[in-house]
Amino acid sequence: MVSCSDLNLLQPAAAACRHLELRVGPQNRVVIIGDVHGCYDELRELLDSHVREDDAVVLAGDLVNKGPKSIEVLRLARYRGYSAVLGNHEFATLRGHAARRGGEEPGVAKKYEWTDGLTNSDLQFICGLPYTISIPEHNALVVHAGLVPGIPLDQQSPVDMVTMRNLHLSENSDGMLGPKYAALDEDQEGSSAWAALWSASANLYGIRKLFALHASSLTSCTTLQPCALATTCRPQHVFFGHDAKRRFQEHRFATGLDTGCVYGGYLTAAILEVGCPVRYVSVKAARRYQIPVVKNNQLGPWQKLLATACKDGKLVKAVAVALLACVVLRTTTKIK
């Protein structure tokens, strides 16, 4: 979890560079890669199989943590000059490194022991990453977690941009101005995946802007061709990561690229090329490096009982509960 206090871990001098623009030539492709999480071998395989020397590469955050070779991933991105956005695990890395004081406190935050090997250049690279990267030539934008519809980019919450997965309709929404949403970092009753709501809101935004431009052209006697209007009003397509649970997500104006490589899934990339539809490529994880953490509010009733039993360290109790669940289910089936 990222909190507002974690924002102090970033370089103050980089505060004005939190939303960057990547300019590429019309002949250059852009390759946007989902969450790597230290899966260096899979990243190399994807790069070797699908990326050309003149491609611009953008990593959608969470380059590090969980996987076996976080430092190697970080340095590959640094040495090759790849672009990347901040993810929640970049913040976790800075927090873990600060807690361990670069290895001077070996008994603290042991799961971040790998951060003891980070150099000042590695840390500066992480601290200098932006929250978003816009790619005008492809009318695209990259963010790690998501964006809240209806809020200008420079007013988006930094915490939301690296942690959100869902949106919940705010109680003070104004029907005339469109819905207002609250960002959530996990599923809650009544909430939905932000990308689906982003696409719906983007459609509404485009219609309003098209109407405004059309009305302006009538009053100023300026003629705009339909294709020019459509291009002007088309919202940016957002590419993001972070949501491994949902795996690949494809909506009209948003695409999720976190396909759970570190959990034994795939490392996925989107290839953007002028005049061509977006192409998606993947490589299979060599193995499962970590088991996904399932939060208690995502469990069924019997799973919660088992989780509670296991958490207490009482394996016998856990087995007994499982057997009881089987008996109850069989009995219920017979009664029906």
Side-chain angles (χ1 to χ4, degrees), residues 186-187 245 293-300 303-304:
E186 59 185 45
D187 289 339
K245 179 184 175 184
V293 175
V294 180
K295 296 183 179 179
N296 203 47
N297 64 350
Q298 298 171 340
L299 299 174
Q303 290 174 312
K304 287 182 180 179

Side-chain angles (χ1 to χ4, degrees), residues 10-336:
L10 302 177
Q11 294 174 341
C17 303
R18 287 307 174 201
H19 303 285
L20 297 186
E21 190 175 88
L22 174 65
R23 303 308 299 250
V24 296
Q27 74 282 1
N28 296 117
R29 305 188 313 173
V30 177
V31 181
I32 305 170
I33 302 175
D35 300 34
V36 180
H37 277 301
C39 297
Y40 175 79
D41 295 337
E42 289 80 357
L43 177 60
R44 285 300 305 265
E45 182 183 349
L46 188 146
L47 294 171
D48 293 343
S49 302
H50 301 289
V51 176
R52 303 171 186 167
E53 188 175 345
D54 61 346
D55 287 343
V57 175
V58 181
L59 298 161
D62 279 7
L63 286 67
V64 294
N65 270 357
K66 298 187 177 182
K69 299 179 181 180
S70 289
I71 291 179
E72 289 87 339
V73 170
L74 203 59
R75 290 180 183 163
L76 177 66
R78 278 184 52 215
Y79 297 156
R80 293 195 178 185
Y82 292 162
S83 301
V85 297
L86 276 165
N88 55 307
H89 281 275
E90 276 68 52
F91 277 103
T93 294
L94 295 175
R95 192 166 57 239
H97 183 270
R100 292 179 60 82
R101 298 177 59 192
E104 293 181 15
E105 297 285 350
V108 177
K110 292 185 178 181
K111 70 176 180 178
Y112 294 107
E113 184 178 358
W114 71 268
T115 66
D116 297 348
L118 293 173
T119 64
N120 286 335
S121 296
D122 295 329
L123 295 169
Q124 288 172 7
F125 175 80
I126 295 173
C127 288
L129 296 178
Y131 290 110
T132 68
I133 295 176
S134 296
I135 312 168
E137 285 76 12
H138 295 277
N139 198 34
L141 181 142
V142 182
V143 67
H144 176 60
L147 298 170
V148 178
I151 298 179
L153 191 60
D154 61 356
Q155 296 177 30
Q156 293 278 340
S157 161
V159 174
D160 290 346
M161 286 186 285
V162 299
T163 62
M164 67 181 288
R165 292 183 176 90
N166 281 26
L167 289 170
H168 193 282
L169 189 63
S170 177
E171 293 181 357
N172 61 348
S173 290
D174 186 333
M176 293 296 293
L177 299 176
K180 293 182 181 178
Y181 296 102
L184 303 172
D185 65 350
E186 59 185 45
D187 289 339
Q188 287 187 17
E189 187 176 354
S191 67
S192 302
W194 79 267
L197 296 174
W198 174 265
S199 292
S201 296
N203 277 327
L204 180 61
Y205 166 81
I207 292 170
R208 286 175 175 167
K209 192 171 181 182
L210 183 63
F211 179 79
L213 282 172
H214 184 62
S216 174
S217 69
L218 291 176
T219 56
S220 63
C221 297
T222 301
T223 303
L224 291 177
Q225 297 298 321
C227 59
L229 279 172
T231 302
T232 304
C233 297
R234 187 176 179 83
Q236 285 180 304
H237 191 103
V238 180
F239 292 91
F240 65 100
H242 188 57
D243 199 352
K245 179 184 175 184
R246 290 189 172 103
R247 293 298 199 261
F248 182 74
Q249 299 178 61
E250 190 171 21
H251 302 278
R252 187 176 182 190
F253 295 112
T255 302
L257 297 174
D258 187 354
T259 46
C261 184
V262 76
Y263 303 122
Y266 293 83
L267 183 62
T268 297
I271 300 178
L272 282 56
E273 189 170 7
V274 173
C276 300
V278 179
R279 186 162 63 92
Y280 299 100
V281 296
S282 297
V283 297
K284 183 76 173 73
R287 64 184 181 86
R288 177 186 288 182
Y289 299 101
Q290 190 165 106
I291 298 173
V293 175
V294 180
K295 296 183 179 179
N296 203 47
N297 64 350
Q298 298 171 340
L299 299 174
W302 294 112
Q303 290 174 312
K304 287 182 180 179
L305 282 173
L306 286 170
T308 302
C310 291
K311 185 176 181 181
D312 293 338
K314 299 175 181 178
L315 182 59
V316 174
K317 182 179 177 181
V319 173
V321 171
L323 290 173
L324 178 61
C326 292
V327 171
V328 171
L329 288 173
R330 290 189 64 181
T331 305
T332 305
T333 304
K334 287 180 180 180
I335 293 173
K336 289 181 178 179

